[in-house]
Amino acid sequence: DHSKILSLAANWDKKEKTGKDQKVGEAKAAVQNDADSKEDDFEYLLDLRSKLVMTEIPKRLEEEFKMSSLISSFLDQLHVALDIKDQIHSLHQGGHFLFQEGYAMELKLGAKALPSFHKALRHLNQEMLSWTKTVKEARQKFYFLNFFTMRELIK
């Protein structure tokens, strides 16, 4: 039966603090089950991206699950997430008060998550434009601010 495909799902044992793979009867159930979501850092996701790009998709998986479109969606989301990370870093380096130590943004990958990623990136771009304008006006009004970086001023 071609609908039965061996799939592996991460199974984390909290007591023993070890991980192992467990068999999932149907790949559809593994793909659609959102309850088993987990947190990963960018290093893991970038490594996953490298592996996915180099992997040849079996014809059966492509026909049944449209894997190339799923992978493409993941890669698009990861690309925007990296842009978001870069923008947050720029805001932090620029001394924006909201984006200092302790700031975190959680992004959830999913089939329909790309529009929310773009929305978050647009918001960060607006924050950067606003912050740059605010800093420029303050530096023009108060000349001695020009001797310090914004990060030095907030410490």
Side-chain angles (χ1 to χ4, degrees), residues 5-106:
I5 299 171
L6 177 63
S7 177
L8 297 176
N11 183 20
W12 183 256
D13 187 346
K14 291 181 182 177
K15 291 179 184 174
E16 296 180 24
K17 294 185 179 177
T18 58
K20 63 181 180 178
D21 289 330
Q22 71 183 39
K23 294 179 183 177
V24 177
E26 290 188 26
K28 283 183 182 178
V31 171
Q32 294 172 351
N33 187 0
D34 194 31
D36 292 332
S37 65
K38 64 178 193 165
E39 292 183 22
D40 289 309
D41 60 6
F42 272 117
E43 296 300 321
Y44 173 80
L45 294 174
L46 292 173
D47 185 46
L48 181 60
R49 175 185 68 175
S50 299
K51 290 177 182 176
L52 286 173
V53 169
M54 299 299 291
T55 301
E56 184 176 337
I57 302 168
K59 186 176 180 179
R60 187 170 67 183
L61 286 176
E62 178 59 37
E63 290 171 356
E64 187 169 350
F65 298 108
K66 307 291 186 235
M67 291 300 287
S68 61
S69 65
L70 290 174
I71 291 171
S72 177
S73 175
F74 168 75
L75 296 176
D76 292 343
Q77 291 173 48
L78 187 58
H79 179 75
V80 176
L82 289 170
D83 290 343
I84 288 171
K85 179 183 173 217
D86 290 342
Q87 191 66 296
I88 291 171
H89 179 73
S90 296
L91 287 161
H92 174 76
Q93 289 298 105
H96 195 295
F97 302 122
L98 298 177
F99 298 92
Q100 294 308 309
E101 304 303 322
Y103 177 81
M105 178 184 278
E106 185 175 308

Side-chain angles (χ1 to χ4, degrees), residues 77-140:
Q77 291 173 48
L78 187 58
H79 179 75
V80 176
L82 289 170
D83 290 343
I84 288 171
K85 179 183 173 217
D86 290 342
Q87 191 66 296
I88 291 171
H89 179 73
S90 296
L91 287 161
H92 174 76
Q93 289 298 105
H96 195 295
F97 302 122
L98 298 177
F99 298 92
Q100 294 308 309
E101 304 303 322
Y103 177 81
M105 178 184 278
E106 185 175 308
L107 300 171
K108 187 171 183 177
L109 297 169
K112 298 177 182 174
L114 193 58
S116 65
F117 281 38
H118 282 293
K119 182 179 178 182
L121 183 58
R122 281 192 304 273
H123 171 72
L124 293 171
N125 287 335
Q126 286 299 106
E127 282 291 327
M128 184 58 129
L129 291 173
S130 175
W131 181 249
T132 304
K133 181 180 175 185
T134 301
V135 169
K136 183 178 179 180
E137 289 171 358
R139 289 184 183 277
Q140 288 174 345

